[in-house]
Amino acid sequence: MTGRTVPREELTPAEGSFTEEERDYLTGRVPEGTDPAAVLQLGTEACDRVGYLARHDRPAAVAALRDGEIPGAEDAIRHLCPEHTGLLEEALGEGGAE
């Protein structure tokens, strides 16, 4: 990412607070002047898409991850939806098939 990003300690939503996992995901990826909740939404949408595919067609989910069809899925899985780590590892050829 180019340009300045919001420092971790300044990542705050308009209402409520972020979990540590959400903060980890957001650190280094929220450009100054951008709502961190909008960036978080992209990550949660990636998790939702992976989850949907995994429930309906596991091989398609693995293929989508392998082929980069779900933008930001790798980082989202690592921070926001680790329950899909097995799919990611399979897609990356790291073993870990469930």
Side-chain angles (χ1 to χ4, degrees):
M1 171 169 285
T2 59
R4 290 187 33 90
T5 59
V6 177
R8 180 182 178 90
E9 59 276 0
E10 294 178 21
L11 290 169
T12 56
E15 295 181 11
S17 61
F18 292 124
T19 65
E20 282 304 306
E21 292 82 7
E22 291 169 338
R23 251 182 225 293
D24 290 344
Y25 175 76
L26 292 168
T27 299
R29 83 177 68 242
V30 180
E32 284 188 343
T34 301
D35 179 3
V39 175
L40 181 61
Q41 180 66 31
L42 296 174
T44 57
E45 288 172 0
C47 286
D48 291 346
R49 185 165 173 205
V50 171
Y52 176 84
L53 283 172
R55 284 189 305 277
H56 296 283
D57 188 347
R58 180 182 170 79
V62 171
L65 290 169
R66 181 190 61 235
D67 298 339
E69 294 177 13
I70 303 173
E74 187 171 338
D75 286 336
I77 289 170
R78 294 192 193 285
H79 296 287
L80 301 174
C81 50
E83 66 272 18
H84 300 307
T85 299
L87 289 169
L88 180 61
E89 289 173 347
E90 189 176 338
L92 298 175
E94 299 173 2
E98 294 177 350

